[in-house]
Amino acid sequence: MTTFSPDIIDAILRHMNGDHTDDNLLIARAFVDPEASASTMTGFDGDGGEWDVTSGGVTSRASVSWPNGPISERPEVRREIVALYDEACAVLGVEPRPHA
């Protein structure tokens, strides 16, 4: 299993939890619990991401595997989070926004 340095993890978590809170919730609803009311990305490694997902007032940690398999390089993290977002939109029937 590949691990990433703390500075890479911190930067990506700050970005996801600051700029993509709605994406975190979509991912949680599609892959963890359709009734999720909140979701915060808490970490990731080469195998997938981790989120704290709140549903029914209870928060639990959930892991979601990267769609394209294990990764080992920082640029692959963005690719896989975007792929998770796109898959979540497909599962939930939501129109995905364009990617920059």
Side-chain angles (χ1 to χ4, degrees), residues 19-73:
D19 298 337
H20 295 286
T21 55
D22 291 343
D23 297 356
N24 287 332
L25 187 55
L26 273 173
I27 290 166
R29 287 181 175 162
F31 303 114
V32 180
D33 183 347
E35 301 301 317
S37 59
S39 178
T40 303
M41 192 172 194
T42 58
F44 62 89
D45 60 25
D47 294 327
E50 282 191 343
W51 284 263
D52 278 351
V53 178
T54 303
S55 184
V58 177
T59 301
S60 58
R61 176 104 358 123
S63 297
V64 180
S65 297
W66 299 130
N68 297 303
I71 61 173
S72 60
E73 302 295 327

